[in-house]
């Protein structure tokens, strides 16, 4: 769970359990809807994300593992990053992007590499900032929600999270911003 | 009768005398002898160190010291290194650069640590300080390679560019091309933190080739191993070298080129880098090993026996940084081979693993403490410790100046007796009378703090986590440690009483950091009212302090002395408790 500390789990009381466990049952709908969309996460992908989630679920009842305490052990981020081996020449060890939300005081950083697709990412964002993204559709963007996840790509354009295939997204995303719904109209909409 | 002045010789003589006084402490002492010494001294001071950029304003510095050539500024508190200081907290250098641009056109050296540096600031630096020779950005962030391009293009007299541990937005490696072809004065270049694959290697080669005085070159991970030989052959005069990635397929031509290249570097004393190192290529540096005084293998996943074999070939080592792959056995070899060792840092290879992955225990540190009489500075991450071991270490090394022990389980007891580690750390402070820096860990009660207050009279910096039981702990430290300048505390169950009882002490220190402790909002407000020359900064994500009860503990607290008053560049989650705080809200 090396990425756990990057999500600042301790501060946000995040639990990486299966959807439907503990108090997560209310949030079931959103991830399920996203998973059913062919365009993004394939069913196999979300299956494997469940597999890792179930491993974490076992730790839920145990006391918080030491890894989740922010600031301990006192090792600087670049050292933690360098412990990961470089698998191949082209691969970077982690894709850390800053995440901000309109109205929330703290910025966070997350590693996009640890997510296998949009459902996982969105769930993590929802848990981190305690909001609901609403239902995503290609035509209408995120419906039924006050907050909309957006990102700035390499060209400096602001896009809706979910509009491009996952790999393209992780390669081009420079930072994430969870915008107030009203501001996000007109972003990446097809119509 | 003519009144005789105290000094009947010209100011220039005093100035000349002062020019031999380099240390800030001594200069400060001289400046308070009398008004005329104050005046003379301030006109001829050339170097300023500002340990907390918010303790004083740039205007004040410029007003007192009109002709500075070298400035060092520090921004965020140390715990920012471990992600405890939220993004946007502060530490911006631009206001300083803007003011100094006009006041110090002859500025030669800028050294910044934990500050937010923007491309705009760097462009302003390049434009305003044509004589800039040294730029050190230590653990800074907020800038990109565009800013570096401006420095490269504009600072024709640059000797030293050091970006150590900074977070740089690596847009393109082509910033190196901005050093003009006529530029030949580079002496020291540290780009080890740069991330992108896009290092303009040819530009780097040309730069290295045309700078005959280059003595220090620290590359980034992206520079492949097969390019190193060529680079070294252009700079055989290097004293300090940091490789890039140290992994490659074993090829005899690459291997022999490297052997030859390292062999030709007759003055090489310090090596680092070694990312992803594979054992096959380690022997290429054997010709250098006997001369090495500093070796940083803390990014190298090399294990024993290769690791120990390498270390055993470096008898002149004074400084050793390594991962815990060295294990107790390797440290025993280090202890018997490296009698000049002064500094040892052992980092964890698997800090978040539940079970130990290597056999590194307290025994390794005991061995080094016993075998290396000059050992002064230790940073040691491990999983078990005993009071007995700490007592032995303390007795072996009374000359310790820095001792930082980090037990991966922060509240772990003495593994042999299951007692707290109070006695062990007590022995450290009792025997090591020159100890300036100490980091504690493990199961610790108020007792250890009593020992610290009693014995650690030279202690300047103390780091505490998950320790102590009551306010007495903090009180012992604040009332006993006469030399204390920086105190940083996380996750300890104390606060109010000790802080309020020792409020005056806080003005004698640079700063105090407390996070996840038991300091109430009410106590912070009281301190703010009582101590106008302290900035009491409360950080809380949950919302403004006025929305909560006085008895609520604050999330993070940063207190520092300042003659500049409260700052105005605070983000929305930081509040200053000053005298006006209460009235501002009503």
């Amino acid at each position: 769970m090396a990425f756990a500390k990057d999500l600042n789990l301790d501060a946000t009381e995040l639990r990486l359990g299966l959807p439907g466990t503990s108090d997560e049952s209310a949030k079931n709908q959103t991830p399920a809807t996203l998973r059913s969309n062919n365009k993004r996460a394939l069913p196999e992908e979300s299956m494997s994300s469940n597999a890792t989630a179930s491993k974490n679920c076992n730790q839920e009842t145990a006391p918080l593992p030491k890894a989740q305490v922010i600031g301990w052990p006192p090792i600087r981020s670049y050292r933690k990053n360098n412990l990961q081996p470089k698998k191949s020449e082209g691969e970077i060890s982690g894709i850390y992007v800053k995440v901000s939300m309109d109205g929330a005081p703290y910025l966070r950083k997350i590693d996009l590499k640890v997510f296998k697709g949009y459902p996982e990412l969105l769930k993590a964002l929802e848990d981190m900032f305690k909001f609901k993204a609403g239902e995503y559709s290609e035509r209408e963007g995120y419906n039924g929600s006050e907050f909309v996840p957006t990102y700035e790509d390499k060209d400096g354009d602001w896009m809706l999270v979910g509009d491009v295939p996952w790999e393209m997204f992780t390669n081009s995303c420079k930072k994430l911003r969870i915008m107030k719904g009203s501001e996000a109209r007109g972003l990446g909409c097809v119509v | 009768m003519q009144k005789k002045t105290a000094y009947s010789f010209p100011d220039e003589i005093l100035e000349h005398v002062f020019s031999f006084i380099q240390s800030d402490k001594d200069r400060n002492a001289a400046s308070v002898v009398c008004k005329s010494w104050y005046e003379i001294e301030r006109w001829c001071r050339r170097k300023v160190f500002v340990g907390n950029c918010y303790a004083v304003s740039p205007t004040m510095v410029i007003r007192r010291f009109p002709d500075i050539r070298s400035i060092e500024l520090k921004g965020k508190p140390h715990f920012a290194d471990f992600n405890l200081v939220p993004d946007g907290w502060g530490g911006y250098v631009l206001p300083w650069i803007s003011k100094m641009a006009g006041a110090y056109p002859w500025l030669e050296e800028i050294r910044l640590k934990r500050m937010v540096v923007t491309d705009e600031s760097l462009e302003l630096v390049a434009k305003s300080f044509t004589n800039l020779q040294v730029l050190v950005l230590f653990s800074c962030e907020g800038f990109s390679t565009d800013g570096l391009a401006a420095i490269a293009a504009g600072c024709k007299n640059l000797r030293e560019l050091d970006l150590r541990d900074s977070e740089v937005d690596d847009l393109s490696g082509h910033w190196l091309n901005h050093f003009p072809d006529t530029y030949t004065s580079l002496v020291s270049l540290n780009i080890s933190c740069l991330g992108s694959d896009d290092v303009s290697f040819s530009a780097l080669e040309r730069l290295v080739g045309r700078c005959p005085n280059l003595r220090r070159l620290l590359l980034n991970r992206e520079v492949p191993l097969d390019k190193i030989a060529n680079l070294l052959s252009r700079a055989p005069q290097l004293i300090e070298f940091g490789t890039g990635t140290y992994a490659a397929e074993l090829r005899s031509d690459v291997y022999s080129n490297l052997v030859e290249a390292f062999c030709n570097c007759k003055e090489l004393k310090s090596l680092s880098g070694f990312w992803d190192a594979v054992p096959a290529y380690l022997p290429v540096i054997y010709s250098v090993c006997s001369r090495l005084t500093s070796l940083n293998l803390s990014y190298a996943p090399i294990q024993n026996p290769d690791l120990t074999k390498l270390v055993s070939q470096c008898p002149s080592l004074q400084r050793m940084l390594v991962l815990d792959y060295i294990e107790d056995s390797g440290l025993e070899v280090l202890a018997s081979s490296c009698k000049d060792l002064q500094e040892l840092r052992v980092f964890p290879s698997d800090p978040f693993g539940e079970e130990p992955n290597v056999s590194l225990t307290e025994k390794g540190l005991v061995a080094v403490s016993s075998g290396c009489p000059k050992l002064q500075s230790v940073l040691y991450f491990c999983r078990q410790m005993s009071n007995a071991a700490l007592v032995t270490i303390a007795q072996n090394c009374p000359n310790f100046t820095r001792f930082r022990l980090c037990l991966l389980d922060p509240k772990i007891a003495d593994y042999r007796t299951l007692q707290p580690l109070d006695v062990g750390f007590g022995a450290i402070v009792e025997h090591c009378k020159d100890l300036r820096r100490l980091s504690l860990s493990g199961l610790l009660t108020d007792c250890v703090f009593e020992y610290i207050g009693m014995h650690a009279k030279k202690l300047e910096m103390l780091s505490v986590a998950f320790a102590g039981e009551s306010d007495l702990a903090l009180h012992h430290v604040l009332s006993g440690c006469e030399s204390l300048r920086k105190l940083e505390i996380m996750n300890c169950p104390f606060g109010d009483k000790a802080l309020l009882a020792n409020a005056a002490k806080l003005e004698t220190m640079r700063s105090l950091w407390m996070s996840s402790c038991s300091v109430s909002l009410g106590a912070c407000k009281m301190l703010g009212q009582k101590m106008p020359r302290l900035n009491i900064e409360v950080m809380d994500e949950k919302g403004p302090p006025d929305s909560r009860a006085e008895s609520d503990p604050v999330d993070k607290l940063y207190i520092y002395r300042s003659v500049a008053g409260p700052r105005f560049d605070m983000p929305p989650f930081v509040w200053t408790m000053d005298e006006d705080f209460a009235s501002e809200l009503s």
Side-chain angles (χ1 to χ4, degrees):
Chain A
M1 280 185 70
F3 64 88
K5 62 198 176 307
D6 295 307
L7 293 174
N8 284 349
L9 296 181
D10 199 45
T12 59
E13 296 161 350
L14 177 67
R15 291 279 182 271
L16 282 180
L18 285 169
T21 56
S22 67
D23 56 334
E24 305 286 284
S25 43
K27 295 187 181 176
N28 258 352
Q29 285 186 326
T30 315
T33 321
L34 288 169
R35 273 199 290 276
S36 68
N37 186 323
N38 290 346
K39 279 252 168 174
R40 263 166 277 101
L42 298 169
E44 305 93 81
E45 274 187 287
S46 46
M47 289 278 274
S48 56
S49 74
N50 280 347
T52 45
S54 67
K55 197 166 60 162
N56 298 330
C57 183
N58 291 334
Q59 293 178 3
E60 239 185 280
T61 46
L64 260 180
K66 303 141 210 170
Q68 294 193 12
V69 177
I70 309 172
W72 198 268
I75 305 175
R76 304 173 64 171
S77 327
Y78 68 83
R79 250 183 215 291
K80 286 187 230 167
N81 296 345
N82 278 306
L83 293 175
Q84 266 91 0
K86 256 180 86 152
K87 293 183 192 93
S88 63
E89 250 184 51
E91 216 177 284
I92 334 164
S93 50
I95 309 174
Y96 286 92
V97 295
K98 293 187 180 176
V99 190
S100 64
M101 175 155 115
D102 292 352
Y106 286 175
L107 281 189
R108 313 254 186 205
K109 264 198 187 139
I110 57 170
D111 180 2
L112 293 181
K113 275 228 128 164
V114 309
F115 302 106
K116 300 202 168 46
Y118 286 113
E120 271 192 23
L121 170 64
L122 284 159
K123 180 145 191 350
L125 290 177
E126 286 178 331
D127 289 340
M128 198 186 272
F129 288 98
K130 297 184 172 46
F131 75 104
K132 299 280 268 324
E135 280 187 37
Y136 176 83
S137 73
E138 225 190 291
R139 242 181 321 129
E140 293 179 12
Y142 287 88
N143 237 337
S145 152
E146 210 193 313
F147 288 102
V148 173
T150 66
Y151 71 100
E152 185 181 7
D153 71 4
K154 280 197 169 132
D155 302 321
D157 298 324
W158 284 94
M159 313 268 287
L160 213 55
V161 167
D163 276 350
V164 304
W166 176 253
E167 265 74 39
M168 194 185 293
F169 166 71
T170 55
N171 281 333
S172 62
C173 172
K174 281 186 64 181
K175 60 171 118 155
L176 283 161
R177 180 177 154 203
I178 301 169
M179 277 188 197
K180 282 229 148 64
S182 45
E183 275 193 49
R185 295 214 198 304
L187 270 186
C189 280
V190 176
V191 176
Chain B
M1 207 162 54
Q2 244 191 350
K3 187 170 157 199
K4 276 204 177 153
T5 55
Y7 302 105
S8 47
F9 47 78
D11 290 350
E12 289 83 45
I13 306 271
L14 263 180
E15 244 187 70
H16 183 67
V17 172
F18 285 157
S19 70
F20 294 101
I21 303 174
Q22 298 291 341
S23 99
D24 286 335
K25 252 182 98 184
D26 294 340
R27 279 215 161 230
N28 291 344
S31 69
V32 295
V33 164
C34 62
K35 281 194 187 141
S36 66
W37 278 37
Y38 180 91
E39 276 303 305
I40 298 167
E41 195 282 318
R42 79 182 188 91
W43 279 97
C44 68
R45 188 167 319 199
R46 298 283 171 259
K47 233 176 125 158
V48 166
F49 168 76
V50 180
N52 174 4
C53 65
Y54 291 119
V56 67
S57 75
T59 308
M60 288 166 154
V61 174
I62 292 167
R63 193 164 56 214
R64 178 169 173 191
F65 301 116
D67 194 4
I68 291 296
R69 307 291 165 90
S70 163
I71 187 150
E72 183 173 348
L73 296 170
K74 294 190 182 179
K76 297 187 216 173
H78 173 242
F79 271 175
D81 287 354
F82 316 126
N83 300 324
L84 285 169
V85 178
D87 249 21
W89 173 83
Y92 306 103
V93 81
L94 187 58
W96 286 85
I97 304 292
S98 307
K99 289 264 154 64
M100 292 193 302
Y104 299 146
W106 307 119
L107 196 62
E108 294 169 2
E109 304 182 352
I110 298 175
R111 293 181 173 83
L112 306 175
K113 187 170 182 180
R114 283 191 212 100
M115 294 200 77
V116 177
V117 180
T118 56
D119 286 345
E120 188 189 346
S121 312
L122 290 176
E123 281 152 25
L124 191 53
V125 165
K127 202 171 67 162
S128 320
F129 308 118
T130 50
N131 203 28
L132 192 71
Q133 295 168 29
V134 172
L135 181 61
V136 176
L137 303 175
F138 187 169
S139 288
C140 294
E141 53 156 353
F143 61 102
S144 78
T145 42
D146 285 353
L148 296 178
I151 296 290
C155 300
K156 315 222 176 326
N157 294 310
L158 197 67
R159 284 187 289 116
E160 183 178 336
L161 178 61
D162 189 335
L163 308 175
R164 55 186 294 206
D165 304 347
S166 289
E167 236 178 80
V168 185
D169 202 355
D170 211 327
L171 302 174
S172 126
H174 296 292
W175 67 276
L176 283 165
N177 283 313
H178 288 254
F179 283 108
D181 291 335
T182 47
Y183 171 76
T184 57
S185 36
L186 197 60
V187 173
S188 168
L189 180 65
N190 179 356
I191 53 170
S192 53
C193 62
L194 291 184
S196 97
D197 278 350
D198 187 17
V199 167
S200 175
F201 194 75
S202 52
L204 180 61
E205 270 188 332
R206 286 196 309 275
L207 180 62
V208 169
R210 67 177 183 272
C211 295
N213 297 320
L214 189 65
R215 295 299 204 163
R216 186 169 173 260
L217 178 62
L218 272 48
L219 303 172
N220 61 332
R221 194 177 186 177
E222 271 61 36
V223 177
L225 189 52
D226 57 7
K227 303 270 198 197
I228 300 283
N230 222 330
L231 208 52
L232 282 178
S233 65
R234 288 166 201 242
Q237 74 281 4
L238 282 179
I239 297 178
E240 192 177 336
F241 181 62
T243 75
T245 181
Y246 208 76
E249 251 179 57
L250 188 53
R251 278 171 44 192
S252 55
D253 56 335
V254 172
Y255 188 95
S256 51
N257 286 341
L258 279 168
V259 169
E260 191 183 337
F262 275 107
C263 210
N264 287 333
C265 294
K266 305 282 186 211
E267 300 187 65
L268 205 49
K269 291 247 174 59
S270 167
L271 282 177
S272 59
F274 298 107
W275 281 281
D276 324 300
V278 293
Y281 277 104
L282 284 183
V284 309
I285 62 168
Y286 280 179
S287 61
V288 185
C289 283
S290 59
R291 268 183 270 121
L292 280 184
T293 56
S294 170
L295 182 57
N296 183 351
L297 293 169
S298 63
Y299 301 112
I302 303 274
Q303 307 197 26
N304 289 333
D306 303 293
L307 182 53
T308 301
K309 179 157 185 233
L310 177 59
V311 165
S312 65
Q313 310 219 16
C314 307
S316 312
L317 275 186
Q318 294 170 16
R319 190 167 179 262
M320 173 89 216
L321 280 69
V322 73
L323 286 171
D324 56 8
Y325 291 131
I326 187 116
E327 298 192 311
D328 291 336
S329 57
L331 289 176
E332 277 153 30
V333 170
L334 182 73
S336 58
S337 320
C338 306
K339 296 305 183 185
D340 286 339
L341 195 71
Q342 295 172 23
E343 180 178 352
L344 174 68
R345 297 194 191 201
V346 180
F347 295 97
S349 54
D350 184 19
F352 302 105
E354 295 291 320
E355 296 299 319
N357 61 325
V358 291
S359 177
L360 180 97
T361 68
E362 82 283 5
K363 298 184 185 55
L365 186 55
V366 172
V368 178
S369 76
S370 164
C372 303
K374 299 188 190 167
L375 192 64
Q376 277 186 4
S377 172
V378 167
L379 170 60
Y380 199 77
F381 284 80
C382 65
R383 289 174 193 266
Q384 71 183 38
M385 188 51 60
S386 67
N387 283 309
L390 281 172
V391 171
T392 306
I393 291 165
Q395 288 168 340
N396 287 341
C397 294
N399 295 326
F400 271 162
T401 52
R402 290 188 281 268
F403 186 74
R404 292 191 279 166
L405 177 65
C406 178
L407 294 165
L408 291 174
D409 179 351
K411 283 164 91 159
I412 198 169
D414 177 326
Y415 76 99
R416 291 165 74 191
T417 64
L418 300 183
Q419 293 297 303
L421 290 170
D422 298 334
V423 167
F425 279 105
I428 295 281
V429 292
E430 197 186 332
H431 290 270
C432 307
K433 306 225 185 290
D434 291 326
L435 196 68
R436 291 195 315 260
R437 185 168 180 185
L438 177 64
S439 296
L440 306 172
S441 62
L443 185 65
L444 296 164
T445 70
D446 286 351
C447 280
V448 71
F449 296 98
E450 197 181 339
Y451 299 144
I452 292 173
M454 207 188 312
H455 294 287
K457 296 306 181 187
K458 298 258 180 78
L459 192 67
E460 296 178 9
M461 181 170 179
L462 178 64
S463 309
V464 183
F466 301 97
E469 305 150 300
S470 77
D471 275 55
L472 261 182
L474 182 55
H475 176 70
H476 284 309
V477 170
L478 291 176
S479 57
C481 297
E482 293 161 2
S483 313
L484 196 64
R485 291 189 299 116
K486 290 179 280 184
L487 179 57
E488 48 185 24
I489 305 174
M490 56 179 272
N491 299 72
C492 293
F494 45 69
D496 291 1
K497 291 202 277 287
L499 278 181
L500 291 169
N502 293 282
K505 170 73 175 177
L506 298 175
E507 258 188 31
T508 68
M509 293 164 53
R510 181 188 297 174
S511 65
L512 166 66
W513 168 279
M514 291 181 76
S515 55
S516 306
C517 294
S518 310
V519 184
S520 73
L521 180 61
C524 294
K525 284 188 188 167
M526 251 200 277
L527 262 179
Q529 280 173 346
K530 232 173 119 173
M531 310 293 298
R533 286 184 304 192
L534 289 180
N535 280 357
I536 317 279
E537 289 187 12
V538 164
M539 272 172 260
D540 219 308
E541 196 186 7
K542 293 194 281 284
D546 56 330
S547 62
R548 289 171 309 125
E550 299 278 294
S551 54
D552 264 4
V554 301
D555 183 19
K556 298 175 208 265
L557 173 64
Y558 186 48
I559 300 178
Y560 56 91
R561 65 180 174 189
S562 175
V563 292
R567 58 188 179 112
F568 298 107
D569 61 356
M570 293 178 298
F573 53 84
V574 178
W575 291 271
T576 302
M577 310 279 117
D578 57 15
E579 312 160 282
D580 304 325
F581 182 74
S583 53
E584 265 167 30
L585 298 173
S586 51

